[in-house]
Amino acid sequence: MRLPGPVWVQIHRAQNRVRDIAAMAAGYCNDQPGEPGGGYRHWRCARRRRHRGLHRFRNYVWDAQGRTEYAPVDDFPSQPWDRNGTPTRRQARLDQDRRRAAAEKRAAARRARRDTT
């Protein structure tokens, strides 16, 4: 049986929610990098809650402001409860708002160029 795409999106979102709740219940930090700093939406910190230092997803680290950088280590922490790359509803809404704001900015720039010529 083939399921339509939106159904798979909802299934992946539900799986991600369950995995996030399980990770937090098991005592993991579960922080994710901020939007402006980089990183992917499915990254979560694999260290224990209240750890010292930077958050880590495999070979990438980020600080409290979400600035992400590559910092390879030979023995990175295992990633319990890996997530799907499907955005949450909030992440999808933020992406849509960002795209809308960028489109409005481009349209305003086009109008300004058109009015000056």
Side-chain angles (χ1 to χ4, degrees):
M1 175 171 86
R2 288 180 53 102
L3 295 174
V7 173
W8 284 111
V9 168
Q10 294 304 319
I11 289 170
H12 288 162
R13 283 181 178 162
Q15 288 172 342
N16 287 344
R17 279 193 298 273
V18 167
R19 291 171 183 162
D20 282 342
I21 292 167
M24 288 186 286
Y28 286 90
C29 174
N30 211 44
D31 187 62
Q32 62 188 31
E35 291 295 328
Y40 292 100
R41 59 186 72 173
H42 64 277
W43 287 4
R44 299 290 189 279
C45 181
R47 293 185 172 170
R48 290 293 183 171
R49 196 173 305 140
R50 292 187 287 280
H51 63 83
R52 290 181 158 200
L54 300 173
H55 300 286
R56 176 172 287 278
F57 177 83
R58 297 192 174 126
N59 280 329
Y60 290 88
V61 295
W62 64 91
D63 58 12
Q65 287 75 36
R67 290 187 296 264
T68 306
E69 60 185 56
Y70 182 70
V73 292
D74 291 332
D75 186 27
F76 52 76
S78 66
Q79 293 300 130
W81 304 291
D82 270 343
R83 282 121 185 117
N84 299 303
T86 304
T88 62
R89 287 181 190 271
R90 180 173 180 265
Q91 289 169 333
R93 190 172 50 251
L94 288 173
D95 288 345
Q96 185 179 22
D97 291 346
R98 260 193 306 281
R99 284 193 302 269
R100 185 180 301 121
E104 289 171 0
K105 188 176 179 181
R106 286 192 306 272
R110 281 194 305 272
R111 281 192 301 273
R113 278 195 313 266
R114 186 179 59 217
D115 292 343
T116 59
T117 57

